[in-house]
Amino acid sequence: MRKLLVLILGISLTASAMAQTDPQKKQEMKDLRTDVREKKAASHKVNKDWSHVRVKKAMHDHKAVARENKDISKDSKRLKRQGVDHPVAKAKRQVRVQDDNRKDHTN
């Protein structure tokens, strides 16, 4: 009887923990991480164009960075409404950790 009670208690705790995780929030964070990665790559490209005095191309690429900033701010606002504190900082930190793991080949 005790085993059955412990089993039911364990199942109920597991179910309640699974119910608290929001798959939409996870997808939003994933989108934000990809936006942060794309912005970093685009801004690196702009800086490289400026350093090589490719002004017209740099101005064109800068528009892509602005689009990424808009995407990041939209995702950030959505995540803040869902209760995530500092979503952009978390996304940047997660991207840095993932990139470091790729460098170390420890996926």
Side-chain angles (χ1 to χ4, degrees), residues 50-65:
W50 278 117
S51 67
H52 291 280
V53 193
R54 297 180 196 136
V55 177
K56 193 169 188 177
K57 190 169 193 269
M59 288 174 24
H60 178 70
D61 291 340
H62 182 70
K63 290 178 184 178
V65 173

Side-chain angles (χ1 to χ4, degrees), residues 43-86:
S43 63
H44 177 73
K45 191 174 183 182
V46 169
N47 290 337
K48 187 175 180 182
D49 289 340
W50 278 117
S51 67
H52 291 280
V53 193
R54 297 180 196 136
V55 177
K56 193 169 188 177
K57 190 169 193 269
M59 288 174 24
H60 178 70
D61 291 340
H62 182 70
K63 290 178 184 178
V65 173
R67 278 193 301 267
E68 293 300 327
N69 281 335
K70 285 182 183 179
D71 289 343
I72 288 172
S73 67
K74 283 181 187 177
D75 290 341
S76 173
K77 287 177 184 177
R78 220 175 289 136
L79 282 166
K80 281 183 181 178
R81 276 184 268 150
Q82 292 178 357
V84 176
D85 294 331
H86 310 290

Side-chain angles (χ1 to χ4, degrees), residues 30 33-34 37 94-107:
K30 187 176 180 181
R33 282 193 304 267
T34 58
R37 266 198 186 100
Q94 290 170 353
V95 165
R96 192 177 321 120
V97 167
Q98 288 174 353
D99 290 345
D100 287 343
N101 287 343
R102 279 196 195 115
K103 284 181 185 176
D104 297 337
H105 303 291
T106 57
N107 287 333

